[in-house]
Amino acid sequence: MSVTYKDAVYRGHNGPYDLIWCEYRARFHTFTELRYEIRAYEASLEFIPQPVYRKGKIIGESAWKKTPQKARQDIEDELGELKKENILYEDTFSVTLPIIDEEF
């Protein structure tokens, strides 16, 4: 079983997409060890009347990795660089798993 702990929308950089929605997920690999995965979706921006980001079709998925950074690097290999300064929207969810911070 996996849990989504963060959503982030990136402005595309050196890749084929303008907006990329990344869904950060975690699951137990063993009883004490977590693994991380990122699913990437096409994103769109709508104004109704406030700006709202929408998740579209899936465009990439990382393998389950030991750190969020390694999962992000899997996605970057396919979709271009995802930089911290290019985050346009971010939402974190309260989970009971000991999630490690992502380093850029």
Side-chain angles (χ1 to χ4, degrees), residues 32 34 36 38 40 80-81 86 91:
T32 59
L34 287 177
Y36 300 88
I38 298 176
E81 193 173 11
N86 287 347
D91 192 13

Side-chain angles (χ1 to χ4, degrees), residues 30-72:
T30 64
F31 188 68
T32 59
E33 184 181 351
L34 287 177
R35 295 292 175 147
Y36 300 88
E37 176 195 50
I38 298 176
R39 289 184 183 167
Y41 300 84
E42 277 187 287
S44 61
L45 177 60
E46 298 177 7
F47 294 93
I48 49 176
Q50 310 292 76
V52 175
Y53 291 98
R54 302 266 186 221
K55 183 172 24 173
K57 71 175 185 166
I58 192 163
I59 54 176
E61 188 170 9
S62 73
W64 289 98
K65 300 290 186 173
K66 288 187 177 187
T67 66
Q69 296 85 357
K70 291 185 187 292
R72 190 185 74 246

Side-chain angles (χ1 to χ4, degrees), residues 14 16 19 39 51 83:
N14 295 335
L19 295 173
R39 289 184 183 167
K83 294 181 169 186

